[in-house]
Amino acid sequence: MDIATVIGLLGGGALILSAVLLGGSALVFINISGLLIVAGGTIATSFIKFSMKDVINSIAVVMKAFFIKIDAPDEIIKKMVHFSSIARKEGLIALDKEKSDDGFTAKALRYLADGYDEGLIEEILSKDVKVTVQRHTLGQNVFKGMGASAPAFGMIGTLIGLVQMLSNMSDPKSIGPAMAVALLTTLYGALIANLICLPLADKLALRSEEEQVNKTIIIQGALGISKALNPRILWQWRSEPLAPTPRTYSRWL
């Protein structure tokens, strides 16, 4: 689990709740009609912008921000060095016995053990990376779209509240609820966009880049194993400065 994401969401929510409680009752900040306008409108707009399948799949993608732990590039290099040593000592067929928790690495080892040529290995694994990046990008776009729609519906709720208030100026009792809708919908829209949707979209982008770096290392490590490169050569690449972008490992390409 990514503790940073959890701390950010819970911490941000706790700070806002504390500010609300210090100023009085929290009940005055709860408005069902305002929530329906902002949350319902944001979700409805997402189904207009994207297909239902894409919106539902984005929920699975966002779980990566919480539960998927991305290995550091150094750890990936260590594993590839280990597999390279085994291949040099026992042959590529020995890699068929090696187990890996990562499905992408297991696939690369299987292709090596089965004797696939370098070009085919690179082509198949690179297509896998492209499909993964496309899936992650779609998930990011869904949450970015929600982040853009939530403040807009907050403003729509504000206008609705103002219209209701101005149309009932003769009834003082109706002014308060209408003004509450006008103000609270703006608050809801800002919170949904800036505390939930946009930060999660950015975290998904970061996770996607980190995963792309690791898969690039695995691909080029597999090609190095196929070429029977000395494991010490692979280990020397560990000295490259780390950064969340595939360009960091340009020497692998």
Side-chain angles (χ1 to χ4, degrees):
M1 178 179 290
D2 183 8
I3 301 299
T5 304
V6 176
I7 291 176
L9 288 173
L10 294 181
L15 289 173
I16 294 170
L17 181 60
S18 299
V20 168
L21 294 176
L22 289 174
S25 174
L27 295 178
V28 298
F29 286 88
I30 299 176
N31 186 278
I32 302 302
S33 58
L35 282 172
L36 289 175
I37 293 172
V38 178
T42 299
I43 294 172
T45 302
S46 298
F47 284 116
I48 296 173
K49 292 181 178 180
F50 306 94
S51 69
M52 182 176 292
K53 179 181 178 181
D54 292 338
V55 175
I56 294 174
N57 287 343
S58 69
I59 303 301
V61 173
V62 82
M63 289 297 102
K64 288 180 175 292
F66 289 95
F67 300 110
I68 301 299
K69 182 180 181 297
I70 304 296
D71 290 332
D74 274 2
E75 295 300 319
I76 302 297
I77 294 176
K78 288 180 182 178
K79 292 178 182 179
M80 299 311 296
V81 168
H82 170 71
F83 296 138
S84 178
S85 298
I86 292 175
R88 282 175 62 86
K89 293 177 182 178
E90 305 176 29
L92 292 176
I93 192 64
L95 297 176
D96 194 39
K97 302 176 183 178
E98 295 298 315
K99 305 297 181 182
S100 176
D101 297 331
D102 174 45
F104 190 79
T105 303
K107 189 184 299 184
L109 295 177
R110 185 170 68 252
Y111 294 158
L112 288 169
D114 290 344
Y116 286 25
D117 64 68
E118 298 167 17
L120 185 58
I121 292 175
E122 184 173 16
E123 179 182 355
I124 296 176
L125 295 181
S126 295
K127 286 182 178 179
D128 190 301
V129 173
K130 290 180 181 178
V131 170
T132 301
V133 170
Q134 290 175 351
R135 185 173 64 251
H136 290 176
T137 301
L138 180 59
Q140 296 164 36
N141 290 338
V142 170
F143 279 90
K144 286 180 180 178
M146 289 183 177
S149 299
F153 276 97
M155 183 58 65
I156 291 172
T158 297
L159 296 175
I160 291 174
L162 290 175
V163 170
Q164 292 175 342
M165 183 185 70
L166 294 174
S167 63
N168 293 284
M169 292 295 288
S170 59
D171 183 9
K173 292 183 179 179
S174 66
I175 295 177
M179 180 60 75
V181 173
L183 296 177
L184 289 176
T185 51
T186 301
L187 174 63
Y188 296 155
L191 287 177
I192 291 174
N194 297 291
L195 183 62
I196 300 175
C197 294
L198 295 180
L200 285 179
D202 290 340
K203 179 56 71 74
L204 287 176
L206 177 62
R207 286 285 180 267
S208 180
E209 289 180 351
E210 291 173 342
E211 188 170 343
Q212 191 176 356
V213 167
N214 286 352
K215 287 188 174 182
T216 300
I217 294 173
I218 293 169
I219 291 174
Q220 301 305 323
L223 296 179
I225 293 173
S226 179
K227 296 175 183 177
L229 291 181
N230 192 306
R232 285 178 293 182
I233 296 178
L234 301 181
W235 185 247
Q236 287 174 359
W237 286 330
R238 177 177 175 271
S239 61
E240 291 284 347
L242 302 183
T245 166
R247 289 191 297 272
T248 298
Y249 292 90
S250 58
R251 287 177 58 184
W252 289 75
L253 302 178

